[in-house]
Amino acid sequence: MNTRVTTIGILVAASMVSGMATAAVSGNIGVTSNYLWRGVTQTNDAVAVQGGLDYEHESGLYLTSWASNVDFGDETSYELDLGVGYSNSIGEFAYDIGYVYYAYPDAVDKIDIGEIYGSIGWNWLTIGYSHFVNASDGIVSEGVDSKDYGYLTADIGIPVNETYSINIHYGYSSGDVIEDWFEKKNYSDYNIALNAETSIGTVSFMISDTDLNSDDPKVILGYSFGFDL
């Protein structure tokens, strides 16, 4: 799959939806010392370069595209995520619902995954849940339901001042997919991160761990820069 063509397609579709209403397109680029997905490395504990484009309509509708290098110990070299969602608020409560498609275009076997998600936020706390709704059989062993995976999260974001913030995360993964991948019916991941907003981007320092067997705590350094188009 050509990432440039896909991204352009998203933006064209978005412009058709928006009409004359106010909308915004933004981008982001970054690098991290280790790309973790739900506490598990996607780069064999190596550096990842990442970036994406986002479209946001004033109604709350948004479209996203994002890519990163990966290392699964085979020929798969990158991940491309495409998403659509809607976010808004009711009183003091913010909510977000959507769908994201994780694609691995150069994988030898078909390992793409589609997932729905939803979250509710109040003040510093956000509770969310995600679930696979379509997934390639290649992600699990024969006979295992590739859609039996759920992920429950709780996140706390604490602003320290205009520059620094602290984020605390807990996630709980369960389902037949998890048992097939890790030989456990469920597992937890957790991390704490310190973020610094600077004039040239966001710098982050994170300590992450899981309760998976033989998994050690990881220290992650990251940098990202966002821009408007």
Side-chain angles (χ1 to χ4, degrees):
M1 183 182 297
N2 186 296
T3 58
R4 178 176 173 80
V5 170
T6 302
T7 300
I8 291 174
I10 289 177
L11 298 180
V12 169
S15 67
M16 293 173 64
V17 172
S18 66
M20 297 300 293
T22 303
V25 178
S26 60
N28 61 87
I29 57 174
V31 61
T32 177
S33 61
N34 191 352
Y35 169 27
L36 301 183
W37 187 75
R38 294 165 189 181
V40 179
T41 181
Q42 305 296 289
T43 51
N44 196 24
D45 292 324
V47 171
V49 178
Q50 305 168 334
L53 288 176
D54 302 316
Y55 169 92
E56 184 176 0
H57 187 262
E58 65 175 4
S59 65
L61 173 70
Y62 62 87
L63 301 170
T64 65
S65 63
W66 183 86
S68 174
N69 60 287
V70 298
D71 182 359
F72 300 147
D74 55 20
E75 296 182 8
T76 309
S77 64
Y78 73 102
E79 169 188 334
L80 174 63
D81 301 345
L82 303 173
V84 57
Y86 179 80
S87 63
N88 213 320
S89 61
I90 300 176
E92 296 182 352
F93 293 89
Y95 64 90
D96 185 9
I97 56 174
Y99 170 86
V100 60
Y101 186 79
Y102 305 96
Y104 303 90
D106 63 351
V108 174
D109 298 318
K110 191 72 172 176
I111 57 173
D112 295 356
I113 297 168
E115 181 179 67
I116 58 171
Y117 60 85
S119 68
I120 297 176
W122 177 78
N123 203 357
W124 295 352
L125 175 66
T126 301
I127 302 295
Y129 181 75
S130 306
H131 200 283
F132 288 178
V133 290
N134 57 284
S136 304
D137 292 336
I139 71 170
V140 291
S141 303
E142 185 176 356
V144 177
D145 184 357
S146 62
K147 297 186 292 297
D148 188 17
Y149 171 80
Y151 185 58
L152 180 65
T153 59
D155 292 271
I156 298 175
I158 305 172
V160 178
N161 53 37
E162 292 183 357
T163 300
Y164 296 100
S165 63
I166 296 173
N167 292 91
I168 301 170
H169 164 83
Y170 172 80
Y172 179 81
S173 298
S174 62
D176 290 348
V177 172
I178 295 303
E179 188 168 9
D180 186 66
W181 286 354
F182 303 113
E183 298 182 347
K184 291 187 63 173
K185 291 185 178 180
N186 53 70
Y187 81 93
S188 298
D189 69 275
Y190 23 84
N191 65 62
I192 183 169
L194 174 65
N195 306 305
E197 298 288 344
T198 74
S199 59
I200 58 172
T202 302
V203 179
S204 63
F205 173 84
M206 181 174 71
I207 300 175
S208 178
D209 199 6
T210 75
D211 62 2
L212 290 169
N213 297 331
S214 303
D215 193 23
D216 297 322
K218 297 177 175 62
V219 175
I220 314 296
L221 299 177
Y223 167 79
S224 63
F225 177 76
F227 52 91
D228 295 326
L229 298 173

